[in-house]
Amino acid sequence: MSEQRSRVHCQETGNTEGTFNGTGGSSAGTESYNRTGVAIANGISATGTLTFEMQAWRTWGGTACDQAYNYINNNTWSITVYYFIPGPMLYASSTTTQGNTQTIQNCDGSAEMVGVEVVTTGSTPTIDLTAMTIGTAGTTNLAEISAINVYYTGTSPVFAATNLLGTAAPGASVTITGTQTLQMGTNYFWVEYQLIPTLNIGNNFDATCTQVTVAGTNYAPSVTSPAGNRTVGACNPAPGGISSNLQTWFDANSGTVGSPVTTWNNLGSNASITQLTSTNGGTMASNDLRSNYNSIVTTTGGYNGTFHAEVSDRTQVISGNEVTMYTAYQRSYAPDLVFEFHGSTQTSPGSNVGNQWLTWGFRHAGLGTLFSSGNTNIYDNPTMGQSSSNSNFAGLYGSSGAAGGNSTNGTELSYANIGNFDAGGNWMELSIGYWPGFGMSRGVMEAILWDSELSAADQDRVETYLAIKYGITKGMNGTSVDYVSPFDGSVIWDVSANTGFNYDIAGIMRADVSGLDQRKSHSTNGGSVGTYNDIVTMAHGTNFAAPTVIPNDGEAIVWGHDNGILNNTGIVVNYPTDNGEVIQGIFTREWKSQEANSLGTVTIEFDLSSVVGVGGILGSNDLQYVRLLLDEDGNYAVGATSIAPTAYNNATGIIYF
């Protein structure tokens, strides 16, 4: 029973239950157990034989790991299967979903639009879906659609363009016909647009489903036009626009499959690692405030709850002797076990065996610790540059046996020699959340690896991309460093020009070459998870809840504050404004912004719920009297403009301009 593992696998469905870990520790003997509620064969509707496998193995890597120590006694396990014989199939319900709102590349030939779920009860006799009415409302230009297709994936909730129900020429509303026999339970249909060769960047595509015909009867889905759409961006984006030698790029906003997430697709170019997989899966949080309205995948611990893929040799991922890795994560201390490329002196794969010394990644309690051939360990200050429990990023870069360094939120630390990692002939594993023997729960937004050491200029572009995207102050909060545009390398936040305002920096930006479409932002700096140092959130356009796409590539606005307390100065100033109002009192904290190009109107939200008002009571300000005071030289006594709110709520303390 020492370090034994087992699991049951169903051949017909291909599903495997989670691993059962023996409780014997290092004790000898036999492990016996029962478990219930195993769902690996659920949903089988045809008659026939179900075939189960009991798979067992031992994780200890010593010599006594063979059939004499690791086996299952004959005739000692059984599985009870419960089944029922349902009645005739009937239509139960239908709905339209918007599962994919990711940016469409302007060179994409097709795009998944919406899903249509049709639910049935019963099984015999079956019924057919024969028609579906699809609308294109919300699409900028119908001329960019060459055809509308509907596909069917059975009871699988994953889009696949394999089983075509029917197709039609584009129009405001089209009816697509075909015959598809339905299965018992939820049936998944998918609307796909075939697209012209070159799309206009910034255009939107959307779809609706207003009617399905099942068993000769027309039904309106409960939801016909789900929220969300898809916007066209530049072709083949890369973090910071650095596509050369980009091997792996895992972004929680794109390429995740399953709920929980069991597959994380690689957006990079590496052919040996097309995806990372997790047996138990990770939890997904979308549109999360902690990651600046982006998505997060949180690993669930152990080997099965983390993500990994193996290659037979290091050179399949790092072909030469240079590497750069970045990861964006959620943690208030070092990014231990966030993103690893590790291996063994052995020549055969094995996730829990072998030496741990061929490693490049974020490992150990020291921030950005580098482990490499020869057991070189370099430790950093685990709090360097990290200002929040919400979002941070960290990078490692260098050449084998030469100088290198790391970065935490843009704070750099250099090393004369980062150790050797250019040996080949060993199996290696790329993982998120795992290092042999250690599987942790970590919230990860992004993990990136280049097969080269990026230049300082390229690192600046990558780090600005991560900082803008996740609301992270680049460099140390209060001093910061320049923000370099991932669009063209220009400075979009000049530290010298903005001296005194380098606290809790955030920004909104469009940079197609980076796949950056950050329409709404706030600083994610905060003393604890879910708390934030600043009270400003900015969104593009006039609709704060649904920001519009920034019109042109490279446009941005970045802002920071002077670290003033969140309170009235208490001084009556009576400042006259250019538009004829008199400002009696002003806030202690001031903000400054820097704009790249001209991105048009923005909506700014201030959360004043924690600001002391009348009688010294938090949130008791009467917001109808609050104004946003703007001035180009910072002298509010002369030449300032006051702006009245467009909306406010005295109960919540939220006000918009």
Side-chain angles (χ1 to χ4, degrees):
M1 62 199 299
S2 171
E3 301 183 57
Q4 300 285 350
R5 305 288 188 272
S6 71
R7 64 189 180 195
V8 180
H9 173 79
C10 177
Q11 292 184 356
E12 283 69 27
T13 63
N15 295 330
T16 301
E17 70 162 339
T19 300
F20 180 88
N21 301 328
T23 59
S26 60
S27 302
T30 300
E31 180 75 26
S32 298
Y33 52 83
N34 296 306
R35 59 240 202 214
T36 61
V38 179
I40 59 175
N42 286 9
I44 294 291
S45 58
T47 58
T49 301
L50 286 175
T51 307
F52 296 96
E53 302 172 5
M54 176 68 81
Q55 303 172 343
W57 67 99
R58 193 177 187 207
T59 59
W60 185 54
T63 57
C65 193
D66 53 37
Q67 293 180 4
Y69 291 88
N70 176 39
Y71 62 89
I72 298 173
N73 293 327
N74 289 339
N75 304 314
T76 59
W77 65 281
S78 63
I79 294 177
T80 303
V81 177
Y82 298 90
Y83 68 95
F84 66 97
I85 303 175
M89 182 176 288
L90 299 172
Y91 170 91
S93 65
S94 60
T95 190
T96 311
T97 63
Q98 181 82 55
N100 190 340
T101 58
Q102 301 307 313
T103 299
I104 300 169
Q105 296 186 50
N106 68 337
C107 57
D108 281 343
S110 63
E112 170 197 346
M113 294 310 303
V114 295
V116 181
E117 300 176 8
V118 179
V119 181
T120 65
T121 59
S123 65
T124 307
T126 58
I127 55 178
D128 297 335
L129 181 144
T130 55
M132 191 174 292
T133 301
I134 304 301
T136 55
T139 298
T140 304
N141 184 5
L142 284 180
E144 294 185 331
I145 304 174
S146 58
I148 300 175
N149 300 326
V150 174
Y151 292 93
Y152 176 69
T153 58
T155 57
S156 170
V158 179
F159 170 78
T162 53
N163 186 14
L164 181 68
L165 173 73
T167 187
S173 180
V174 299
T175 298
I176 294 177
T177 59
T179 300
Q180 178 61 57
T181 299
L182 300 177
Q183 300 183 46
M184 181 176 63
T186 302
N187 295 259
Y188 293 88
F189 294 83
W190 307 92
V191 178
E192 178 202 63
Y193 288 169
Q194 289 293 311
L195 305 172
I196 64 174
T198 303
L199 309 172
N200 288 313
I201 293 175
N203 279 359
N204 293 325
F205 288 90
D206 207 353
T208 64
C209 178
T210 57
Q211 183 174 281
V212 296
T213 303
V214 179
T217 302
N218 296 328
Y219 300 95
S222 58
V223 175
T224 59
S225 181
N229 59 21
R230 301 193 66 182
T231 301
V232 179
C235 189
N236 296 322
I242 314 302
S243 58
S244 179
N245 298 310
L246 177 62
Q247 296 298 311
T248 65
W249 180 17
F250 300 97
D251 185 347
N253 290 325
S254 307
T256 57
V257 179
S259 181
V261 176
T262 54
T263 300
W264 203 339
N265 289 321
N266 178 18
L267 305 177
S269 62
N270 189 279
S272 298
I273 296 181
T274 59
Q275 60 187 23
L276 302 181
T277 59
S278 172
T279 302
N280 295 340
T283 59
M284 167 69 83
S286 301
N287 194 36
D288 197 291
L289 287 175
R290 297 168 299 164
S291 60
N292 201 24
Y293 306 99
N294 290 283
S295 297
I296 310 162
V297 175
T298 301
T299 60
T300 54
Y303 185 72
N304 289 333
T306 57
F307 293 84
H308 25 71
E310 292 174 344
V311 293
S312 59
D313 193 275
R314 174 195 63 81
T315 58
Q316 292 173 263
V317 178
I318 303 175
S319 60
N321 66 344
E322 296 181 357
V323 66
T324 301
M325 297 173 69
Y326 275 92
T327 181
Y329 60 95
Q330 290 190 339
R331 203 170 172 208
S332 59
Y333 48 103
D336 192 10
L337 302 178
V338 175
F339 189 33
E340 306 282 335
F341 189 50
H342 56 254
S344 168
T345 53
Q346 300 186 16
T347 57
S348 60
S351 300
N352 289 289
V353 300
N355 203 318
Q356 302 172 359
W357 55 264
L358 288 171
T359 297
W360 178 268
F362 303 91
R363 173 71 187 101
H364 210 275
L367 174 66
T369 296
L370 316 183
F371 280 69
S372 55
S373 178
N375 205 29
T376 300
N377 304 331
I378 301 175
Y379 298 85
D380 290 347
N381 178 354
T383 61
M384 182 186 67
Q386 299 193 89
S387 57
S388 83
S389 299
N390 296 304
S391 292
N392 292 282
F393 70 80
L396 303 174
Y397 39 85
S399 299
S400 180
N406 63 16
S407 167
T408 304
N409 293 348
T411 298
E412 309 289 331
L413 191 61
S414 299
Y415 300 104
N417 190 319
I418 51 85
N420 299 308
F421 58 86
D422 57 355
N426 302 98
W427 73 266
M428 300 290 285
E429 182 176 62
L430 192 73
S431 64
I432 293 177
Y434 185 77
W435 197 59
F438 302 92
M440 303 297 183
S441 297
R442 295 287 180 264
V444 183
M445 294 88 76
E446 209 154 329
I448 317 158
L449 184 151
W450 285 269
D451 187 16
S452 63
E453 181 180 358
L454 298 188
S455 66
D458 285 347
Q459 290 174 28
D460 281 341
R461 292 171 63 129
V462 172
E463 293 178 2
T464 297
Y465 157 80
L466 294 170
I468 294 290
K469 187 172 183 178
Y470 298 111
I472 301 166
T473 299
K474 189 179 174 187
M476 298 294 288
N477 197 35
T479 56
S480 192
V481 293
D482 286 348
Y483 282 54
V484 177
S485 172
F487 166 67
D488 61 5
S490 62
V491 175
I492 59 174
W493 179 259
D494 188 325
V495 171
S496 298
N498 298 312
T499 300
F501 291 89
N502 289 294
Y503 291 88
D504 301 324
I505 300 170
I508 60 176
M509 184 175 192
R510 171 179 164 183
D512 295 343
V513 72
S514 292
L516 182 61
D517 181 18
Q518 196 65 33
R519 308 179 192 183
K520 181 191 289 189
S521 278
H522 70 133
S523 170
T524 59
N525 291 350
S528 60
V529 173
T531 63
Y532 308 99
N533 294 340
D534 200 21
I535 61 175
V536 170
T537 302
M538 192 179 298
H540 183 261
T542 59
N543 188 334
F544 182 83
T548 54
V549 63
I550 296 172
N552 298 304
D553 199 5
E555 293 178 340
I557 185 169
V558 184
W559 65 91
H561 65 79
D562 63 355
N563 205 33
I565 62 173
L566 294 172
N567 207 344
N568 190 313
T569 63
I571 301 172
V572 177
V573 295
N574 289 327
Y575 289 160
T577 65
D578 283 353
N579 51 319
E581 290 190 315
V582 176
I583 302 300
Q584 292 182 308
I586 61 172
F587 221 49
T588 301
R589 178 170 294 184
E590 298 178 12
W591 292 263
K592 187 177 182 182
S593 65
Q594 181 175 337
E595 190 177 20
N597 305 310
S598 179
L599 49 66
T601 301
V602 296
T603 299
I604 308 176
E605 176 194 82
F606 288 84
D607 181 356
L608 302 178
S609 60
S610 60
V611 175
V612 173
V614 177
I617 301 173
L618 292 177
S620 64
N621 294 285
D622 191 343
L623 303 186
Q624 66 176 312
Y625 299 114
V626 175
R627 296 291 183 268
L628 182 62
L629 196 58
L630 301 182
D631 192 83
E632 293 181 354
D633 60 11
N635 180 7
Y636 299 104
V638 179
T641 300
S642 62
I643 297 179
T646 54
Y648 60 86
N649 187 322
N650 278 325
T652 62
I654 304 295
I655 189 168
Y656 298 93
F657 298 93

